[in-house]
Amino acid sequence: MRPIILLFLLTLSIPLLGQNPKLLNQPDTGYRGIWYSNEPSNDEYVYKYSGGLGTYPANHYPFSIYVKEVDKTFFCYGGADPTGNTLLHMVSYFDHKTGMVPRPTIVLDKETDNAHDNPVMNIDAEGFIWIFSTAHGTNSPAYISRSKKPYDISEFESIQATKKVMGQTVPMDNFSYLQSWYQTGKGFLNLFTHYEREVIPGQPSKPRRTIGFMRSQDGIHYSEWKDLAAISEGHYQTSGMKGTTLGTAFNYHPIKEGVNGLNFRTNFYYLETRDFGDSWQTATGEKVQLPVTEVQATALVAEYESKGLLVYINDLTYDEKGRPVIVFVTSKGYEAGPEKGPRTWHTARFTGSEWEILPVTNSDNNYDMGSLYIDAKGEWRIIGPTATGPQPYNTGGEMVLWISKDQGKTWKSHIMTSGSERNHSYARRPVHVHPDFFAFWADGHGREKSFSQLYFSDKKGNVFLLPTEMNTDFAKPIQIKPKSRK
């Protein structure tokens, strides 16, 4: 009886639950990122993690897309008003022909300062730009906006998206940790998280972070949500796509009494689909029945729980043979500071028959996030904040380019930033990446609220600052040279 009553109430709510984002569609005066902090720690590091998080988290994607037809890299980010008090969903582009950027467009005011509500984007076959304004849990709404013209950032309209629930069409106004993928002729396959209560034994009010996916041909009307995994207290997932293969790597959150299992995230798992979500399998091709509900599932790639190690997944991409390669960090605890180190970066490469896991380097915070690039010749690059920054043991640091020519067995590094005033964090890889706009990230103070600037780099590791103040409609980003810290 309860599902019938719920469905009846949801059906009644269709004309009442409109999505009403605070659309602004205004050009801004420059590029500013959101500063955000999470979980005060009452020690010298101040927070579990914090900083300039305009391209956070690793579970949001993509923030940028290169489009060959117009020779531009479009990008979105979590921006801020001049006081840094509200999260603005921003969109802009880098023109590869002119080397310039326009004033960024403020699409909407998310009316929060929570970087978990950062936007992600996609671009469909007709060139329309989609902005997905995520929520963090169920206490705030999620929105979808679409550009009114192809490849145009000047004006966006609100999309009244729907989904199917038990065969009925209902509004879709809440989703978290969205990763949006688009395949021409098929449409959108979006991975996401939804929060379920009354599913954790003995803790009915604690939410489980259940990961799933949904599909839509037009970006407006979505399928029923399908769960990918629902183990214990849930998961964080990070995904990637090459051709028609779309994969997801995820950890799991063990059940804990009185504390959040997410602070004890461990293990990592991998699933992929080659038929737009109709079926899912392991890297070896073994079919998997969804959702995954057992810790010792066939999707398990590496077990770290018995070793007392936490797992933070950074990125997933595919090599020249179409095989998955994952970057992740392990540590001994969720707290900031040296006691829970080392924070070891690893790559996990599927060889065709097994997973090869190798170390890359160490950094000093669990939330030091970077991206992996593999070119057609098989050369690997990682861009991430692996060097100690001005706020040691806080999120981010100085950006470093790592290069491997032997599938992660050995690496050479090149310092991209040094002498910075604030930590750099969350270097993100664009879809269809162009060598001149190769990684995109923000900076911010690790221990106190600060101004946040936005940067990008080219493939060689040269770094460019997006203009914080603009007196003209277009401006050239400024190249930033590594320097000694005063």
Side-chain angles (χ1 to χ4, degrees):
M1 179 63 70
R2 182 180 175 187
I4 295 175
I5 294 173
L6 176 60
L7 178 59
F8 175 71
L9 292 173
L10 286 170
T11 304
L12 285 179
S13 71
I14 291 175
L16 302 175
L17 286 179
Q19 296 175 330
N20 296 304
K22 191 175 179 181
L23 281 174
L24 297 177
N25 285 322
Q26 299 172 358
D28 205 349
T29 57
Y31 292 80
R32 300 178 301 273
I34 190 71
W35 188 94
Y36 175 70
S37 64
N38 186 278
E39 199 166 322
S41 55
N42 300 312
D43 56 22
E44 64 179 297
Y45 310 108
V46 190
Y47 303 104
K48 181 174 75 171
Y49 66 91
S50 54
L53 299 182
T55 57
Y56 163 92
N59 327 100
H60 282 197
Y61 194 79
F63 284 93
S64 47
I65 303 170
Y66 172 68
V67 180
K68 183 179 180 180
E69 288 78 4
V70 292
D71 202 16
K72 295 176 180 177
T73 295
F74 294 88
F75 57 91
C76 69
Y77 59 95
D81 67 315
T83 64
N85 289 326
T86 191
L87 174 65
L88 302 175
H89 284 190
M90 311 294 300
V91 64
S92 190
Y93 62 83
F94 176 75
D95 189 327
H96 292 269
K97 293 179 181 177
T98 65
M100 303 182 83
V101 294
R103 294 176 187 262
T105 297
I106 308 171
V107 178
L108 60 82
D109 183 348
K110 198 58 169 62
E111 300 184 279
T112 180
D113 63 356
N114 188 344
H116 290 90
D117 285 39
N118 275 343
V120 297
M121 71 186 309
N122 217 321
I123 300 176
D124 65 25
E126 296 179 336
F128 288 97
I129 303 167
W130 296 74
I131 300 295
F132 298 90
S133 299
T134 61
H136 186 209
T138 57
N139 293 327
S140 62
Y143 309 121
I144 300 176
S145 307
R146 181 182 61 192
S147 64
K148 287 194 172 183
K149 298 177 182 179
Y151 307 123
D152 185 272
I153 67 167
S154 62
E155 190 174 5
F156 288 75
E157 60 185 345
S158 179
I159 297 298
Q160 303 295 313
T162 63
K163 63 179 179 178
K164 292 290 186 179
V165 176
M166 298 176 64
Q168 297 294 313
T169 301
V170 302
M172 188 178 73
D173 55 7
N174 184 264
F175 47 80
S176 300
Y177 298 111
L178 192 81
Q179 296 148 58
S180 182
W181 299 99
Y182 186 84
Q183 293 184 15
T184 300
K186 294 183 177 180
F188 297 86
L189 197 161
N190 293 344
L191 280 66
F192 67 100
T193 297
H194 65 103
Y195 288 60
E196 294 184 291
R197 287 180 168 81
E198 299 185 1
V199 293
I200 299 174
Q203 301 180 78
S205 63
K206 180 185 282 190
R208 178 177 68 201
R209 289 163 173 80
T210 303
I211 56 173
F213 71 96
M214 53 181 162
R215 296 173 287 193
S216 173
Q217 187 170 4
D218 61 8
I220 303 172
H221 305 95
Y222 285 83
S223 64
E224 291 206 27
W225 290 1
K226 301 291 186 182
D227 291 343
L228 287 166
I231 306 172
S232 299
E233 289 193 19
H235 315 269
Y236 290 127
Q237 67 176 338
T238 298
S239 56
M241 186 174 75
K242 184 171 185 176
T244 58
T245 299
L246 190 156
T248 177
F250 53 96
N251 52 30
Y252 105 97
H253 309 165
I255 293 175
K256 298 290 182 179
E257 291 283 347
V259 294
N260 286 324
L262 65 88
N263 278 337
F264 301 88
R265 66 194 74 177
T266 189
N267 296 355
F268 88 85
Y269 304 77
Y270 175 81
L271 289 173
E272 67 181 29
T273 178
R274 299 184 178 184
D275 53 16
F276 205 65
D278 286 343
S279 64
W280 293 79
Q281 61 190 36
T282 65
T284 60
E286 181 178 353
K287 298 296 183 182
V288 174
Q289 185 172 350
L290 301 180
V292 175
T293 58
E294 301 295 328
V295 174
Q296 297 297 323
T298 56
L300 180 65
V301 173
E303 192 276 330
Y304 287 97
E305 188 170 19
S306 66
K307 302 178 178 69
L309 293 176
L310 277 56
V311 173
Y312 296 77
I313 300 172
N314 276 358
D315 197 16
L316 162 61
T317 192
Y318 291 85
D319 66 15
E320 68 279 8
K321 295 181 179 178
R323 295 169 179 167
V325 185
I326 299 160
V327 175
F328 65 101
V329 175
T330 57
S331 77
K332 297 177 182 177
Y334 69 89
E335 303 93 336
E339 292 80 6
K340 301 300 182 179
R343 279 85 181 182
T344 303
W345 292 52
H346 309 262
T347 59
R349 178 180 70 94
F350 184 65
T351 65
S353 59
E354 61 183 2
W355 289 91
E356 180 182 57
I357 298 176
L358 299 170
V360 179
T361 187
N362 293 334
S363 65
D364 63 11
N365 188 272
N366 295 328
Y367 295 85
D368 293 337
M369 186 271 172
S371 293
L372 172 65
Y373 307 73
I374 301 178
D375 65 21
K377 297 179 180 179
E379 186 168 275
W380 293 15
R381 282 174 166 81
I382 291 175
I383 293 179
T386 59
T388 301
Q391 292 88 49
Y393 298 103
N394 287 97
T395 303
E398 299 288 9
M399 285 294 175
V400 179
L401 169 62
W402 294 86
I403 298 176
S404 175
K405 297 183 178 181
D406 54 10
Q407 298 177 316
K409 294 179 177 62
T410 61
W411 295 85
K412 292 184 178 180
S413 63
H414 167 70
I415 294 292
M416 297 169 62
T417 67
S418 62
S420 304
E421 295 180 11
R422 298 177 292 269
N423 285 357
H424 298 257
S425 60
Y426 285 86
R428 311 310 300 268
R429 181 187 67 250
V431 174
H432 309 308
V433 60
H434 188 287
D436 292 341
F437 194 107
F438 205 65
F440 175 47
W441 72 87
D443 72 2
H445 200 286
R447 302 181 187 181
E448 61 186 28
K449 188 173 182 178
S450 74
F451 190 76
S452 175
Q453 299 181 127
L454 291 136
Y455 304 80
F456 68 92
S457 78
D458 62 19
K459 187 176 182 179
K460 296 178 180 179
N462 298 309
V463 176
F464 300 86
L465 170 67
L466 291 168
T468 57
E469 293 291 337
M470 295 179 64
N471 298 317
T472 56
D473 289 339
F474 294 88
K476 279 205 169 189
I478 302 167
Q479 186 170 354
I480 303 297
K481 299 285 189 179
K483 58 185 178 181
S484 299
R485 189 176 303 129
K486 295 180 180 179

